[in-house]
Amino acid sequence: MGIEEMIPSLAGDGLITTQVNKVIGWARKNSLWPYPFGTACCAIEFMATASSRYDLARFGAEVVRFSPRQSDLMIVAGRVTMKMMPVLLQIYSQMAEPKWVISMGACASTGGVFNTYPQIQGVDQFIPVDVYVPGCPPRPESLIDGVLKIQQIIDGQAERGEFTRPTVEAN
Amino acid sequence: MTDPAKPAPKLPPTHDSHGKAARVLEENNVDHELLRRKLGELAKDIRTEFKQTVIYTTRETIARALEIVCRDPELNFNMLCDITAVDNLRRDDYDPSRRFTVIHIVYSIPNNKRIRFETLLGEDDPRIPTAAKVYKGAAWAEREVYDMFGVTFDGHPDLRRVLMPDYYEHHPLRKDYPLTGRGERDNFARAEELA
């Protein structure tokens, strides 16, 4: 009954051949536990993404954990100041491997409009970022697309570092 | 979009916010004679600027003047609104002996009156006595002025930075500090190096 009938090889002696990486990647990508490093309005948009209307649970990433030790996806959502950067570094280092990072929005990715003395001009200077989600703040659809790109990285369809930072034209 | 053929609707007089704001400011003014009588030598320079009562004080007179306006039962300025500062460095008539203006704004809740105290401080020695002995709420406002402008408050109970990190070296609201800082924001180790 059910899923067994869909897979012919399970109907016989119940064996299926695959790669270990594929199985582990499949399990990991469908149970991402995000850690929301929310410091500004992007965090509000993250809440909208996680709750019922946009429902991040459809992609297995609804278990938001506020402990870095229980999560494997850090979503940096908002401005990071030079007073906050040591905190971000410590929390990032407390996350267990494997871990992935989404830089959500203009401020986390590039500093945004805040080109001022305390404002970090892109967290990727100090922590490795896998996916950048543009927007100010990004719409939930954009963040969901970012999570799907993280899933591509996890199950090997994309390389780490494949999604690069958006370039800003200096005038 | 407004229709150019249609004239804008005239607002009823109750929506005349400018006139109301001006009346509120005038209600807040304090009688200069009363202040001269209470403060005496401490308040040589009392003015009404932009419809607001301003007393120009010095480093020597500000603490005593604040104490009198707070404690005097007739004046009864029992609330400290704010302490802030201005860096005059970029002014046309700049003079190093007038680098900073420290501003105390006090308010009398029972009388609905307001006074602004302005104190000029020199560049080489920006010190002023604390107001925290009279108004307890002054302590954190003074910490912010110290953090942002580097003005030292003598007798302050705990003069530490309040916004910037403790290891920070500059006073960022000074006009000679660059808007994008002096590289502090780029000065962290990468996460891989810390691990």
Side-chain angles (χ1 to χ4, degrees), chain B residues 157-175:
Chain B
D158 185 19
L159 194 63
R160 284 177 295 132
R161 288 181 181 274
V162 66
L163 294 170
M164 301 309 292
D166 289 334
Y167 59 81
Y168 201 71
E169 286 174 1
H170 303 286
H171 300 288
L173 283 194
R174 287 189 174 193
K175 293 286 183 193

Side-chain angles (χ1 to χ4, degrees), chain A residues 83 115-117 124-126, chain B residues 163 172 179-180 185 188 190-191:
Chain A
K83 207 171 176 181
N115 187 8
T116 56
Y117 60 93
D124 58 351
Q125 296 175 74
F126 309 114
Chain B
L163 294 170
L179 182 65
T180 51
R185 65 185 186 182
F188 292 93
R190 275 195 70 91

Side-chain angles (χ1 to χ4, degrees), chain A residues 64-79:
Chain A
V64 177
R65 290 291 140 149
F66 295 94
S67 164
R69 298 176 196 280
Q70 297 175 345
S71 41
D72 51 8
L73 170 63
M74 175 182 262
I75 298 178
V76 184
R79 301 178 289 272

Side-chain angles (χ1 to χ4, degrees), chain A residues 39-170:
Chain A
T39 50
C41 34
C42 279
I44 305 293
E45 213 67 9
F46 171 76
M47 290 177 221
T49 312
S51 51
S52 54
R53 187 177 181 94
Y54 292 94
D55 198 11
L56 204 53
R58 292 178 293 160
F59 311 100
E62 81 279 18
V63 192
V64 177
R65 290 291 140 149
F66 295 94
S67 164
R69 298 176 196 280
Q70 297 175 345
S71 41
D72 51 8
L73 170 63
M74 175 182 262
I75 298 178
V76 184
R79 301 178 289 272
V80 180
T81 58
M82 53 172 286
K83 207 171 176 181
M84 204 65 185
M85 197 64 216
V87 181
L88 176 59
L89 284 167
Q90 181 164 9
I91 288 176
Y92 177 80
S93 64
Q94 283 173 344
M95 288 170 68
E97 293 280 358
K99 54 192 170 185
W100 297 271
V101 177
I102 290 180
S103 171
M104 179 183 177
C107 298
S109 304
T110 67
V113 297
F114 300 101
N115 187 8
T116 56
Y117 60 93
Q119 182 73 24
I120 303 296
Q121 303 292 298
V123 294
D124 58 351
Q125 296 175 74
F126 309 114
I127 63 172
V129 172
D130 294 296
V131 172
Y132 302 84
V133 180
C136 184
R139 286 201 50 91
E141 293 93 330
S142 309
L143 182 59
I144 289 172
D145 189 49
V147 172
L148 293 181
K149 287 205 162 42
I150 290 282
Q151 292 190 345
Q152 287 177 21
I153 291 173
I154 293 172
D155 74 353
Q157 292 173 40
E159 291 291 317
R160 288 197 106 158
E162 184 173 328
F163 306 111
T164 51
R165 169 172 165 169
T167 53
V168 179
E169 293 286 329

